[in-house]
Amino acid sequence: MRIVLVGPPGAGKGTQAALLAKNLGIPHISTGDLFRANISQGTELGRRAQEYMRAGDLVPDEITIGMAKDRMEQPDAASGWLLDGFPRNLAQAEALDELLRDAGQALDSVLDLEVPEDEVVKRIAGRRMCRNDSAHIFHVEYTPPKEPGVCDTCGGELYQRDDDREETVRRRLEVYHSETEPIIDYYKSQGLVTTISALGPVADVTQRALTALKG
Ligand code: ADP
């Protein structure tokens, strides 16, 4: 299966993508995670991406598209993937179409996670990530770890992402509306979009998503 996950920052894409990918047996490809890995490894790509991410802006397409393409060409991605955070604008959506066309492949579905804006802000402000694994995500209020600052799953250190600060979140939301939302219409015109509510317990959202994808 080839699936694109879209939704505003804080919709729970990372949480859901990890669960869905596991359930469907396909790799979870997150451009945000790829950038963060490059930053923590101190690569040239990471160095170039960091300033844009800190500001809440999109990393330029010439960096992002090549990185996403490289990842999608890895052997584990041959029979499908769940893309999280890519494409994020029309140019990236067109680049993905070209890539798929060249490979004689097609998208199966675009899953749109819907969440009201005031909820998004609350989710991001309380979000804490594990340094060891970006799939280990907590919220200080909604899904608190047993011990503050420590990951329940692996004991790793929990931290707040640099771009989860309030000023940056506002900018990320603006960018989402102006750059990313247009790709939903683009995919709607191809009949690929299913919208589900991302409110409620994590497991309920996953079930809703699986029903939508398998139905
Ligand atoms: P979220 O979905 O919560 O906003 P991500 O982890 O997906 O967070 O992305 C964090 C940041 O990484 C974005 O704000 C942006 O700066 C950068 N980024 C991720 N994916 C892309 C992309 N496809 N194109 C450009 N920039 C991206």
Side-chain angles (χ1 to χ4, degrees), residues 8-10 13 30-33 35-36 52-53 56-59 64 84-88 92 127 161 163 172:
K13 290 192 300 293
S30 157
T31 41
D33 286 351
F35 285 132
R36 281 185 287 276
Y52 297 99
M53 292 176 74
D57 287 324
L58 295 187
V59 178
T64 307
D84 158 16
F86 183 87
R88 233 179 173 95
Q92 293 179 11
R127 168 157 72 180
R161 263 168 51 178
D163 59 348
R172 281 162 63 200

Side-chain angles (χ1 to χ4, degrees), residues 126-196:
R127 168 157 72 180
R128 298 294 181 271
M129 314 273 292
C130 175
R131 291 223 184 261
N132 293 340
D133 189 335
S134 64
H136 306 164
I137 305 173
F138 298 83
H139 188 283
V140 289
E141 199 182 319
Y142 304 147
T143 50
K146 291 196 187 73
E147 197 181 324
V150 181
C151 175
D152 284 357
T153 315
C154 72
E157 182 199 353
L158 299 182
Y159 74 105
Q160 180 170 39
R161 263 168 51 178
D162 215 25
D163 59 348
D164 279 353
R165 287 168 301 123
E166 201 181 325
E167 326 79 80
T168 315
V169 169
R170 257 184 252 121
R171 174 70 191 145
R172 281 162 63 200
L173 282 167
E174 263 172 44
V175 169
Y176 180 74
H177 292 310
S178 62
E179 303 268 326
T180 309
E181 268 179 351
I183 72 170
I184 299 178
D185 287 331
Y186 174 82
Y187 285 130
K188 270 189 183 154
S189 71
Q190 301 175 28
L192 287 170
V193 179
T194 312
T195 302
I196 64 160

Side-chain angles (χ1 to χ4, degrees), residues 10-28:
K13 290 192 300 293
T15 302
Q16 293 301 331
L19 294 165
L20 291 170
K22 199 167 169 203
N23 188 290
L24 298 167
I26 48 179
H28 166 205

Side-chain angles (χ1 to χ4, degrees), residues 65-146:
I65 292 170
M67 181 185 73
K69 183 170 181 283
D70 284 350
R71 178 63 189 89
M72 281 186 270
E73 285 171 354
Q74 299 299 309
D76 68 329
S79 61
W81 29 248
L82 178 67
L83 293 182
D84 158 16
F86 183 87
R88 233 179 173 95
N89 61 22
L90 280 174
Q92 293 179 11
E94 284 161 7
L96 175 62
D97 270 355
E98 197 184 309
L99 212 87
L100 286 165
R101 216 172 17 243
D102 289 349
Q105 297 166 347
L107 276 183
D108 292 292
S109 193
V110 174
L111 188 68
D112 170 28
L113 297 184
E114 199 172 53
V115 89
E117 196 138 319
D118 54 343
E119 176 67 16
V120 157
V121 174
K122 275 192 244 163
R123 286 184 181 189
I124 295 181
R127 168 157 72 180
R128 298 294 181 271
M129 314 273 292
C130 175
R131 291 223 184 261
N132 293 340
D133 189 335
S134 64
H136 306 164
I137 305 173
F138 298 83
H139 188 283
V140 289
E141 199 182 319
Y142 304 147
T143 50
K146 291 196 187 73

